[in-house]
């Protein structure tokens, strides 16, 4: 509405004399369309037709004054790319009231090429000047370039040391062809000392203590230490990173760690620990930029892994070996202690406008790690990841596309039939929280142990209630891919200040590629009724254990204590002799010389094992997420529904994570 105007404005006091009522009378006039849109430049460096082709409006579009303002800014930035910092862009309007068209000619006045006179940095009280200046892509005496100014602004914002919405301002210098760049900074806290307690749908109760300084001594160095504890994982880590070694553009850093992890499965609704993994080690790393956007980093790591199973639960107490009838062959194969010595590299392209919360640009990374530089493990792990962000105009919507994938190639000889050369602890896993809509480790190859039950007619059938399965063990995979398309939805300015960020997303991915494991063939006795010929599978017996996890024996009939007990054998934990107290340690408190060679047994519920999920077919989920930087700590809630899944996958509708800082 190019003829829009306010014809009058009247202010009236309400009868109670507490408020004013303001009435505007407006006249819209007819609606216009764009006529011819041209660019006329007095600067010889520019091609007027090419500049006009970059403008968002076209002849025949509805007239939009905001697009005209944005075009003036865009043309000013374009001239800045060629070193003209103070160009004057004037839109000249040609209104045709009969045809209701508005033609526009953007006139770019003659200007002088400008050069940077100096760069001023203000407001940094803790951060050293050199930390900021090394992120600025222009120096005194360089030709002015608006792109380099914007790039410098993005790099400073990505440091995370200063308040957001920081801008580098350009001011007239001491001469018409000189410009002064001014960075007015407002520092924010970069040290974090916190104790956190929270509840996660992944690990139940969580306690974390950490200290981090992202701008240590004002030199941009990062120093960190953390301790984490939950029901299924515990860790302690120390790390340090120097981004500019000896003021050269070379980053170096290192970490030392101790991580205790308990894998688990489900028996009914109860989550149970399967194997335990204790990793102790360190990693050193370094990185150098190749260009403004490309960088190369290298690393070396050494770790010692101790993988074990609870002997009282999963071992045959007679042979003192892992019992595949109880644990499964795949878990028995995982046991062992080993050193992993690996060297790796990453090639990264990063043009994000902000590494902490990007709204534009893209990032790509390709990395490989080679294990076998000494140690007991040999493989090549390859991964890639990419992300692209689009800020959708001035609406506040941010669209992002993320993709990643990986593959592990073993360099070891065959470990036997049905045993994958890549160990279960070195494989990829996929599920919550990366793939929303599925449970933790909910996607990919798994062995499901389904018990037999009896129906109402007395027939023996496999259990159909998934919550009653004896085991549901995720085995991981040697290959995976995962993609996500997400739209962050803006809220009002006041709500955004509270740190609320809702989003909707679509995800697809899969985990696959391992050798099919040998399905356990437990020797359950099979019985056939001679009259009805009905086939039933009986329970399988195994070594009975005391409450302390020790094997139970019965004293022989000829033993004096058995005779004194009216011929009833005595139950004992002693393989030789006997003890008066069940649960006594073997060899302690045992008396007598009789050999108790008849051990007690207990039944193992009959079951059948199934292997599934080892498919590259995509799983698909759709959902909505909600991030809130609350006064009580970060909170994330996701509601995601799995549209495509494998029958063996474990799905999950709602996940959340919340913590409290104090």
């Amino acid at each position: 509405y190019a003829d829009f105007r306010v014809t009058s404005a009247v202010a009236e006091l309400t009868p109670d004399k507490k408020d004013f009522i303001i009435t505007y009378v407006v006249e819209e006039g007819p609606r216009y369309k764009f006529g011819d849109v041209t660019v006329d430049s007095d600067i010889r460096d520019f091609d007027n037709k090419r500049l006009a082709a970059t403008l968002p409006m076209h002849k025949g579009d509805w007239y939009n004054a905001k697009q005209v303002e944005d075009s003036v800014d865009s043309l000013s930035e374009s001239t800045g790319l060629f070193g003209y910092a103070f160009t004057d862009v004037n839109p000249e309007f040609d209104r045709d009231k009969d045809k209701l068209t508005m033609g526009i000619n953007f006139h770019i006045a003659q200007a002088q090429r400008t050069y940077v006179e100096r760069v001023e940095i203000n407001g940094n009280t803790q951060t050293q000047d050199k930390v900021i200046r090394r992120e600025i892509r222009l120096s005194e005496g360089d030709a002015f370039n608006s792109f380099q100014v914007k790039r410098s602004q993005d790099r400073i914002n990505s440091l995370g040391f200063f308040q957001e919405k920081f801008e580098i301002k350009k001011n007239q210098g001491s001469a018409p062809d000189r410009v002064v760049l001014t960075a007015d900074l407002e520092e924010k806290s970069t040290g974090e000392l916190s104790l956190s307690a929270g509840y996660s749908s992944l690990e139940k109760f969580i306690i974390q203590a950490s200290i981090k300084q992202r701008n240590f001594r004002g030199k941009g160095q990062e120093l960190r230490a953390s301790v984490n504890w939950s029901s299924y994982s515990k860790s302690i880590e120390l790390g340090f990173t120097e981004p500019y070694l000896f003021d050269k553009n070379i980053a170096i850093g290192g970490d030392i760690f101790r991580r205790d992890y308990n894998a688990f499965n489900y028996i009914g609704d109860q989550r149970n620990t399967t194997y335990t993994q204790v990793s102790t080690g360190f990693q050193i790393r370094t990185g150098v930029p190749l260009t403004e956007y490309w960088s190369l980093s290298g690393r070396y790591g050494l770790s010692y892994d101790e993988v074990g199973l609870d002997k009282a639960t999963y071992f045959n107490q007679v042979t003192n070996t892992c019992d595949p009838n109880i644990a499964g062959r795949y878990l028995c194969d995982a046991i062992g202690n080993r050193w992993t010595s690996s060297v790796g590299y990453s090639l990264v392209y990063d043009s994000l406008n902000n590494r902490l919360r990007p709204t534009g640009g893209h990032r790509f990374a390709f990395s490989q790690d080679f294990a076998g530089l000494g140690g007991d493990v040999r493989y090549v792990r390859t991964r890639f990841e990419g992300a692209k962000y689009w800020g959708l105009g001035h609406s506040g919507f941010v669209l992002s596309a993320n993709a990643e994938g990986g593959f592990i190639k073993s360099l070891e000889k065959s470990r036997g039939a049905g045993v994958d050369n890549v160990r279960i602890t070195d494989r990829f896993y996929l599920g919550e929280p990366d793939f929303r809509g599925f449970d933790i480790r909910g996607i990919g190859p798994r062995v499901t142990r389904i018990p037999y039950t009896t129906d109402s007619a007395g027939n023996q059938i496999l259990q159909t209630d998934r919550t009653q399965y004896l085991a549901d063990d995720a085995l991981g995979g040697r290959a995976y891919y995962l993609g996500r398309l997400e739209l962050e939805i803006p809220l009002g300015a006041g709500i955004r200040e509270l740190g609320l960020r809702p989003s909707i997303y679509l995800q697809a991915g899969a985990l696959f590629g391992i050798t099919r494991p040998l399905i356990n063939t437990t020797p359950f006795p099979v019985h056939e009724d001679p009259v009805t010929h009905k086939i039933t599978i009986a329970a399988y017996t195994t070594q009975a254990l005391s409450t302390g996890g020790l094997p139970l024996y019965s004293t022989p009939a000829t033993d004096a204590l058995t005779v004194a007990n009216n011929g009833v054998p005595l139950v004992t934990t002693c393989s030789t002799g006997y003890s008066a107290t069940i649960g006594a340690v073997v060899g302690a408190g045992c008396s007598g010389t009789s050999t108790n060679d008849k051990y007690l047994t207990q039944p193992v519920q009959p079951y059948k094992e199934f292997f599934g999920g080892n498919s590259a077919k995509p799983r698909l989920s759709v959902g909505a997420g909600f991030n809130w930087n609350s006064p009580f700590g970060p909170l994330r809630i996701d509601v995601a529904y799995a549209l495509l899944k494998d029958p063996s996958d474990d799905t999950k509708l709602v996940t959340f994570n919340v913590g409290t800082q104090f």
Side-chain angles (χ1 to χ4, degrees):
Y1 297 91
D3 295 331
F4 174 88
R5 65 192 182 97
V6 179
T7 59
S8 66
V10 179
E12 300 175 282
L13 187 65
T14 57
D16 59 7
K17 298 183 180 182
K18 292 184 178 180
D19 299 287
F20 272 98
I21 297 175
I22 302 178
T23 305
Y24 292 95
V25 179
V26 302
E27 184 179 305
E28 286 183 339
R31 195 175 182 189
Y32 282 71
K33 290 188 175 182
F34 280 112
D36 293 326
V37 180
T38 58
V39 175
D40 176 22
S41 173
D42 293 338
I43 303 175
R44 292 182 300 172
D45 294 342
F46 301 129
D47 185 327
N48 295 335
K49 291 184 179 180
R50 293 184 64 182
L51 285 176
T54 64
L55 299 177
M57 71 283 288
H58 301 89
K59 186 176 181 179
D61 294 344
W62 288 111
Y63 173 76
N64 187 322
K66 183 64 169 61
Q67 284 188 339
V68 176
E69 293 179 8
D70 292 343
S71 298
V72 171
D73 294 337
S74 175
L75 290 172
S76 297
E77 289 184 6
S78 297
T79 59
L81 293 175
F82 293 87
Y84 299 95
F86 302 108
T87 53
D88 189 9
V89 181
N90 293 312
E92 299 170 345
F93 298 91
D94 181 16
R95 186 189 316 237
D96 188 330
K97 293 188 176 182
D98 295 328
K99 296 181 179 180
L100 295 179
T101 61
M102 180 71 77
I104 300 179
N105 176 60
F106 293 93
H107 178 72
I108 304 175
Q110 181 66 46
Q112 286 185 305
R113 195 182 297 272
T114 51
Y115 298 86
V116 178
E117 182 174 343
R118 66 181 181 275
V119 178
E120 295 181 348
I121 299 175
N122 305 313
N124 55 313
T125 57
Q126 176 186 348
T127 307
Q128 297 183 7
D129 262 23
K130 67 178 182 180
V131 174
I132 304 165
R133 290 187 181 274
R134 65 197 185 195
E135 304 298 333
I136 297 177
R137 314 327 274 170
L138 289 168
S139 301
E140 286 83 353
D142 290 349
F144 176 82
N145 186 304
S146 59
F147 174 80
Q148 296 288 16
V149 172
K150 179 66 167 60
R151 178 62 179 165
S152 303
Q153 183 177 298
D154 291 343
R155 289 180 66 95
I156 293 174
N157 276 324
S158 294
L159 292 174
F161 302 162
F162 311 103
Q163 299 294 340
E164 295 182 4
K165 300 180 180 179
F166 156 75
E167 293 183 4
I168 296 178
K169 300 176 181 178
K170 59 180 187 290
N171 301 306
Q172 183 67 59
S174 58
D177 64 344
R178 294 291 184 268
V179 62
V180 176
L181 300 180
T182 304
D184 292 323
L185 304 167
E186 183 182 351
E187 290 186 319
K188 65 180 181 181
S189 175
T190 57
E192 301 172 9
L193 175 61
S194 65
L195 295 175
S196 300
Y199 185 86
S200 165
S201 57
L202 297 179
E203 300 185 272
K204 307 308 179 185
F205 288 102
I206 301 171
I207 297 176
Q208 179 186 54
S210 66
I211 180 171
K212 179 190 291 186
Q213 175 53 260
R214 293 181 288 110
N215 190 13
F216 184 56
R217 299 187 299 167
K219 293 184 176 182
Q221 301 167 338
E222 182 177 294
L223 181 65
R224 58 193 178 277
S226 64
V227 177
N228 297 275
W229 180 91
S230 72
S231 300
Y232 289 91
S233 64
K234 303 168 185 62
S235 68
I236 179 170
E237 299 189 31
L238 302 173
F240 176 78
T241 302
E242 166 57 74
Y244 278 76
L245 182 65
F246 305 126
D247 292 329
K248 303 295 183 181
N249 203 353
I250 301 174
I252 190 169
D255 301 276
I256 58 175
F257 58 85
R258 165 68 181 258
R259 304 180 186 124
D260 293 10
Y261 173 74
N262 296 329
F264 57 84
N265 63 16
Y266 285 93
I267 299 180
D269 292 327
Q270 183 67 37
R271 190 159 68 167
N272 302 276
T273 298
T274 54
Y275 67 85
T276 61
Q277 179 182 1
V278 180
S279 297
T280 306
F282 71 89
Q283 184 184 82
I284 55 176
R285 57 189 183 279
T286 184
V288 294
L290 303 178
T291 67
E292 176 64 24
Y293 298 106
W294 287 96
S295 62
L296 178 67
S297 62
R299 55 191 168 271
Y300 171 77
L302 180 66
S303 63
Y304 183 65
D305 294 321
E306 302 171 78
V307 181
L309 288 166
D310 180 25
K311 291 188 176 182
T313 304
Y314 296 105
F315 271 47
N316 184 306
Q317 302 302 319
V318 177
T319 61
N320 196 33
T321 58
C322 181
D323 189 344
N325 297 321
I326 302 174
R329 296 175 184 269
Y330 42 91
L331 291 184
C332 290
D333 292 335
I335 296 175
N337 300 338
R338 45 192 168 267
W339 287 94
T340 301
S341 175
S342 65
V343 61
Y345 72 93
S346 294
L347 184 64
V348 180
Y349 178 88
D350 190 342
S351 66
L352 299 179
N353 61 357
N354 190 316
R355 296 191 186 105
L356 303 179
R357 191 177 173 186
T359 58
H362 47 278
R363 185 180 188 276
F364 173 81
F366 178 83
S367 62
Q368 285 188 306
D369 289 277
F370 303 86
L373 194 67
D376 307 308
V377 180
R378 291 172 176 80
Y379 61 75
V380 178
R381 177 188 283 117
T382 303
R383 292 187 71 247
F384 75 88
E385 54 183 313
K388 173 71 175 176
Y389 294 83
W390 298 269
L392 304 182
H394 298 277
S395 62
F397 287 90
V398 178
L399 179 66
S400 62
N402 294 266
E404 62 177 281
F407 178 76
I408 304 177
K409 171 66 175 176
S410 175
L411 302 179
E412 300 182 23
K413 296 180 180 179
S414 173
R415 298 170 56 211
V419 181
D420 198 282
N421 286 355
V422 178
R423 292 172 175 81
I424 194 171
T425 54
D426 296 324
R427 300 172 194 166
F428 296 115
Y429 289 89
L430 194 59
E432 183 191 353
D434 299 316
F435 203 155
R436 303 153 195 169
F438 294 88
D439 206 346
I440 181 172
R441 299 189 171 193
I443 293 175
R446 63 198 323 106
V447 169
T448 305
R449 184 175 289 187
I450 304 178
Y452 284 96
T453 186
T454 304
D455 64 10
S456 57
N459 299 312
Q460 193 175 47
I461 60 173
L462 288 173
Q463 177 66 258
T464 58
D465 184 359
R466 193 179 181 92
T467 63
Q468 300 301 315
Y469 287 1
L470 287 175
D472 185 8
D473 289 326
L475 306 186
R478 287 196 293 174
Y480 84 101
Y481 64 88
L482 177 64
R484 182 177 74 252
L485 188 66
E486 187 164 7
L487 180 65
E488 185 176 313
I489 303 171
L491 300 175
I495 298 180
R496 281 201 305 268
E497 293 296 326
L498 297 176
L500 297 173
R501 292 185 291 120
S503 64
I504 56 176
Y505 49 83
L506 179 72
Q507 288 190 276
L511 177 71
F512 54 95
I514 68 168
T515 302
R516 180 183 179 86
L518 295 177
I519 298 301
N520 200 26
T521 55
T522 306
F524 293 113
V526 178
H527 300 290
E528 180 179 356
D529 189 284
V531 178
T532 63
H533 300 287
K534 182 184 294 184
I535 300 295
T536 58
I537 300 176
Y540 168 72
T541 57
T542 186
Q543 169 74 66
L545 304 177
S546 71
T547 55
L550 297 175
L552 294 176
Y553 301 88
S554 61
T555 55
T558 57
D559 187 89
L561 192 59
T562 303
V563 174
N565 197 33
N566 297 321
V568 178
L570 194 70
V571 177
T572 177
T573 56
C574 298
S575 59
T576 301
Y578 54 85
S579 61
T581 304
I582 297 298
V585 178
V586 175
C590 297
S591 59
T593 58
S594 300
T595 301
N596 302 322
D597 54 0
K598 183 180 180 182
Y599 60 87
L600 297 184
T601 60
Q602 59 186 7
V604 175
Q605 185 177 359
Y607 63 82
K608 188 174 183 179
E609 284 188 346
F610 295 88
F611 174 67
N614 191 29
S615 171
K617 292 182 179 179
R619 280 71 156 176
L620 183 68
S621 70
V622 61
F626 185 85
N627 273 308
W628 180 29
N629 293 327
S630 73
F632 310 102
L635 179 144
R636 170 85 190 192
I637 298 177
D638 283 286
V639 179
Y641 180 75
L643 299 176
L644 296 177
K645 61 180 181 177
D646 188 90
S648 63
D649 292 340
D650 289 335
T651 60
K652 196 168 196 176
L653 181 64
V654 180
T655 59
F656 64 93
N657 193 302
V658 63
T660 301
Q661 294 188 348
F662 52 89

